[in-house]
Amino acid sequence: MRPRALLVVLSLALACGCTAGGQAGPDIAVGGDFGAEPEIGFPAGGPSEDLRVREQMAGTGAVVEPGDLVVAHYTAHVWDGRDNRLLASSFDQGVPASFPLNGAVTGVGKALQGHRVGSRVVAAIPPEEGYGPNPPGGMSAGETLFYVIDVLGAFPAGAAAQGSGGPGELAGVKITGGPGERPALTLPDGRPPAGLETEVLFRGRGARTQAGRLLVVQYEGRVWGSDAVLDSTWRTGRPKAFRIGKGAVIPGWDRALTGVPVGSRVAMVVPPALGYRQGLPPLVKPSDTLVFVVDVLAAY
């Protein structure tokens, strides 16, 4: 499914840097606890000319790999030796950011790859490792970036729900595949149900999801009456993340995935009124009923 536009905090997906050639970390004081907005003390004078990174706090979770979807809290500044202005902060958004590591600029991958979930990474990025001569709005060419990034999670391509349960059936839709496996869907002939149908196939052991939280999911979607896959994170090779209960996805998802324990696999049949009401050309007509299987991997 294409959850309306999963608008991630842009500046984190754009920026952060990394250890390069054994360079020492940036000479900037950073205080505060992991997961809390950092206290930053910039030194007098301008930034260094090379890429500098340090691991301020070492995590003990999974190692961040190039193909992972990363979830992180961050603060981003321009380091110019004057006002060192703030560019963006996920703390101001109320939820962490999510971004594919290998879809970001060079500095992001270099900074975070190989660190563990639970780490705080501090990075100063010179222009050639960031935006170079064509920066986005709010920046000037040649400016150095400074990031403090708390790595909350990293999710590989094959991540799947590990809850208790197994194959199941919903409104005639058969779903196979056990915990930790990609599901397979077989849709029936005939007319779809008129209303929203949901079923938790695997029940996770995590906390229940709440409106406003960032969910990390794997999913596969179909249009009732079609053999073609509408969308699949398993097929594209990376989980996705979105805020639940805030209109970031279709209404059927907001209803079916709020209050579900993390680690669950949820099947749903979504009627047109709770799906893409205007359609999603050329894939979905306004009159189409949709079928989804969603693995809830994490909530932040």
Side-chain angles (χ1 to χ4, degrees):
M1 152 186 147
R2 292 182 173 132
R4 282 179 196 160
L6 294 180
L7 294 181
V8 182
V9 182
L10 179 61
S11 34
L12 181 58
L14 311 163
C16 117
C18 162
T19 43
Q23 294 286 356
D27 185 21
I28 296 178
V30 177
D33 296 331
F34 179 88
E37 190 163 11
E39 302 163 359
I40 301 172
F42 287 91
S48 58
E49 296 182 355
D50 46 25
L51 184 62
R52 299 292 181 97
V53 172
R54 75 170 182 265
E55 186 178 76
Q56 175 120 353
M57 302 176 188
T60 59
V63 174
V64 179
E65 302 289 351
D68 288 352
L69 178 79
V70 175
V71 177
H73 262 310
Y74 76 100
T75 298
H77 289 258
V78 167
W79 183 10
D80 58 11
R82 299 185 298 277
D83 60 353
N84 304 309
R85 69 187 182 280
L86 177 69
L87 286 176
S89 171
S90 65
F91 296 99
D92 295 339
Q93 307 296 323
V95 293
S98 63
F99 58 99
L101 194 63
N102 61 9
V105 297
T106 303
V108 178
K110 287 184 177 179
L112 297 184
Q113 184 178 339
H115 292 283
R116 291 185 177 274
V117 172
S119 297
R120 169 168 283 184
V121 178
V122 177
I125 309 172
E128 61 270 19
E129 295 283 355
Y131 301 111
N134 299 302
M139 290 185 63
S140 300
E143 289 186 312
T144 294
L145 301 168
F146 178 76
Y147 278 78
V148 180
I149 305 173
D150 291 352
V151 183
L152 303 178
F155 301 89
Q162 300 288 340
S164 301
E169 184 171 330
L170 176 67
V173 179
K174 295 180 179 179
I175 304 104
T176 59
E181 299 176 345
R182 175 179 174 175
L185 287 71
T186 303
L187 273 61
D189 297 326
R191 296 177 62 84
L196 178 68
E197 301 272 350
T198 68
E199 181 73 26
V200 177
L201 302 176
F202 306 163
R203 187 162 295 277
R205 298 179 178 86
R208 292 184 179 273
T209 61
Q210 299 177 23
R213 295 292 181 90
L214 184 78
L215 263 58
V216 180
V217 302
Q218 295 268 38
Y219 64 86
E220 185 154 317
R222 301 272 291 276
V223 175
W224 191 285
S226 171
D227 292 329
V229 174
L230 170 62
D231 195 10
S232 171
T233 55
W234 277 286
R235 185 176 63 181
T236 57
R238 183 183 296 116
K240 288 185 179 179
F242 60 89
R243 289 186 76 181
I244 191 71
K246 293 295 182 179
V249 291
I250 60 175
W253 273 43
D254 276 341
R255 294 191 186 185
L257 298 180
T258 300
V260 173
V262 170
S264 297
R265 171 169 290 176
V266 181
M268 66 183 88
V269 178
V270 181
L274 298 178
Y276 294 103
R277 296 167 183 167
Q278 307 303 317
L280 188 68
L283 302 172
V284 180
K285 300 187 298 296
S287 59
D288 280 337
T289 292
L290 307 175
V291 179
F292 294 101
V293 176
V294 183
D295 282 11
V296 181
L297 305 179
Y300 297 92

